[in-house]
Every structure is written in C-alpha cells, then in structure tokens.
Amino acid sequence: GGGLYQLSKAGKLSVPAMNVNDSVTKQKFDNLYCCRESILDGLKRTTDVMFGGKQVVVCGYGEVGKGCCAALKALGAIVYVTEIDPICALQACMDGFRVVKLNEVIRQVDVIITCTGNKNVVTRDQLDRMKNGSIVCNMGHSNTEIDVASLRTPELTWERVRSQVDHVIWPDGKRVILLAEGRLLNLSCSTVPTFVLSITATTQALALIELYNAPEGRYKQDVYLLPKKMDEYVASLHLPTFDAHLTELSDEQAKYLGLNKNGPFKPNYYRYRALISQNGKDA
C-alpha cells in the first residue's frame, strides 16, 4: 500500500493503480478476522505455548493488533498494548487493554507480538532485558519490526529448534524464542483460510475489471481506492456461505435516507468501526 502512494507522489506511477489492500472487506478479513485466528495458530504450531495467564504485549492496535488482542484476551492472557496514535490507544483502553510503553513491561512479559508496519519496534536493548523463555514474533507486514540483525553477533548463539523456531542464547544462558526470524508469522507458521483468500481474490479481480472497463479518463496515473459499490458486492457474494439474508430497503426508506436501494449504502468517509487514515495505513 504505502509504496504506491510514495511512487504516485514522486510522479513515477506509469499506470492507474487500485489500492485493494485498504478496501474495507479485504482489510477487515485479511487483517482483523484472519489475524484473530492465525495468531494463535502460528504461536501454537511453533511453540505449543499455553496462553492462560501469560503476559503478552501487542505492539500496535490497528486492524491486525485488534485481531490479535481479541484472540489472546479470549484465552485468558493478560494483554498490554503499545500505540503511538491517541485514537487507537483510546480504542484499546475501551476494549479493556492496558496501554503501556514497551520499556515498562519488557522485563515481565512472556510474549511480544509486533503489528505496527514500522521498523525497530523491538530493539536489541529491549531483547537484552527480556526474561528467559520469552517469545518474540511479528504479525506486521514487514520484517523490519524486530531488529533481528542486531542479534547476529558473536556473543549470542543461535540454535534452530525446529522449522521457523530459533532459540537465541545469551552468554548467561538466557534464551529468547524468535519465530520465523522476525518475518510475518501468519505467512510462515500458519495457514490462511480459503474463505479469506476468496475475499481477497474476489476484491483483486473486481478491481482489475473496474480498471479495464472504466471509460477513458476516469482513472489517471494515480492510486485509487476500490469504489464502495464493488466493496459491497464482494461482501454480498460471500453472504450465502453463512446463509445470511439481507433486508431490502423499501422505496420510502431509501428516499428517507437519500440512498439508492442497491447501494452504495454508506458515504465514502464512513468507517466500519476501525479507522483508515489517508496515507493507506490503519489509523
């Protein structure tokens, strides 16, 4: 997502582009709902850890962070959240999570999960202060969140325990368990449900059809969000799976709301609970 906007700003985009990643259906499923299931899947497959009573810090409370926190809370983990954005921080507070700075809890936590999309969220200095047997993993979209390069130094020993699981051993014998070498945990260590893939693929296909069929001049060499109508269409195609039946507006009701009976049903600025900021990342 972010890279396209940077290219566009620099005037280097040679064709129109559709930012599928920030379409609501795709975002909610890939980021929130998928992570809500895959975070536990990835951690259990790699470490067989039990979550009841474990202290976990989730860095970032965007869509991915929200999904991870919901799953961990349901299993009885004690969940802390770190956040730079006051709106997301407030959402975390209202969802019942303690918002802290990583340094305040680094010595006591059992698991750190990064999902910020930023870099150097967990530094060597912080890894040095973690307790023996703690687990560090990344759910964000890049492998820059945990400073893994800083762990490849002569005084630390790396021990490959099983596929995607390394023990990093300090001179005093302390071990920190690093998953997938800091790469994306849910791609490396768990599976993606076909239902989620279907939503993503449908969204991508519709975006391509929209770009291909659009009249000359509708899309310039820029980055566009998928029209809301298409987003609603993707969602409606997946409703039969759940045997869900949509209510239809009467003519009178549609007129009262100032809507077309067939959608789009929400204005473009409407946020389906989570916020998406202008630059294409979760706000």
Side-chain angles (χ1 to χ4, degrees):
L4 278 176
Y5 287 98
Q6 284 156 0
L7 278 176
S8 164
K9 238 184 219 149
K12 287 185 181 156
L13 208 60
S14 53
V15 292
M18 199 64 93
N19 174 1
V20 172
N21 204 41
D22 287 337
S23 69
V24 182
T25 325
K26 154 88 171 64
Q27 254 234 336
K28 278 279 178 277
F29 272 87
D30 254 24
N31 300 353
L32 181 71
Y33 303 127
C34 194
C35 292
R36 193 169 70 183
E37 308 208 5
S38 64
I39 180 60
L40 301 177
D41 185 22
L43 281 165
K44 292 268 190 202
R45 282 184 200 218
T46 47
T47 64
D48 300 311
V49 66
M50 194 169 183
F51 286 99
K54 286 285 191 297
Q55 300 198 48
V56 183
V57 60
V58 175
C59 303
Y61 200 67
E63 296 283 4
V64 174
K66 287 180 173 73
C68 290
C69 286
L72 293 159
K73 184 180 185 177
L75 282 192
I78 300 157
V79 183
Y80 301 98
V81 168
T82 70
E83 201 21 280
I84 58 159
D85 180 322
I87 298 177
C88 294
L90 188 59
Q91 284 182 319
C93 292
M94 293 303 295
D95 289 338
F97 301 110
R98 285 292 314 272
V99 177
V100 297
K101 289 183 171 171
L102 188 51
N103 284 334
E104 297 164 5
V105 295
I106 192 75
R107 288 183 185 281
Q108 72 207 54
V109 292
D110 301 291
V111 186
I112 295 184
I113 301 165
T114 56
C115 22
T116 65
N118 203 343
K119 67 180 205 181
N120 296 348
V121 179
V122 182
T123 62
R124 169 65 194 266
D125 178 46
Q126 289 164 327
L127 291 158
D128 283 341
R129 291 176 6 238
M130 292 189 76
K131 63 186 190 191
N132 182 42
S134 44
I135 298 168
V136 187
C137 66
N138 167 42
M139 286 287 286
H141 56 64
S142 56
N143 57 352
T144 52
E145 308 215 12
I146 301 158
D147 186 5
V148 176
S150 71
L151 294 174
R152 300 197 185 277
T153 51
E155 79 277 11
L156 301 183
T157 314
W158 283 60
E159 193 180 291
R160 172 54 58 99
V161 186
R162 57 167 100 157
S163 169
Q164 311 290 0
V165 185
D166 288 294
H167 284 189
V168 182
I169 308 162
W170 268 251
D172 64 357
K174 174 185 100 169
R175 289 169 183 254
V176 166
I177 302 163
L178 176 66
L179 304 185
E181 295 179 47
R183 291 188 309 276
L184 196 58
L185 179 76
N186 59 344
L187 288 184
S188 311
C189 307
S190 76
T191 54
V192 177
T194 51
F195 187 76
V196 173
L197 276 180
S198 168
I199 286 205
T200 305
T202 309
T203 310
Q204 287 168 338
L206 282 170
L208 285 171
I209 293 166
E210 168 69 19
L211 283 173
Y212 185 79
N213 287 341
E216 194 78 31
R218 176 185 291 174
Y219 296 110
K220 316 218 172 1
Q221 290 174 4
D222 205 349
V223 187
Y224 296 89
L225 281 175
L226 191 71
K228 192 171 289 289
K229 192 100 169 83
M230 312 292 273
D231 223 338
E232 290 174 349
Y233 183 54
V234 173
S236 69
L237 286 174
H238 289 82
L239 284 175
T241 311
F242 302 104
D243 193 25
H245 308 149
L246 273 182
T247 305
E248 282 178 37
L249 289 172
S250 71
D251 292 343
E252 232 165 72
Q253 287 176 320
K255 195 173 158 197
Y256 176 74
L257 292 174
L259 291 176
N260 180 326
K261 263 168 89 163
N262 305 314
F265 296 98
K266 298 286 188 290
N268 271 331
Y269 55 80
Y270 180 83
R271 299 287 174 242
Y272 299 76
R273 179 166 178 274
L275 299 126
I276 300 165
S277 69
Q278 260 37 67
N279 62 1
K281 75 168 180 55
D282 294 350

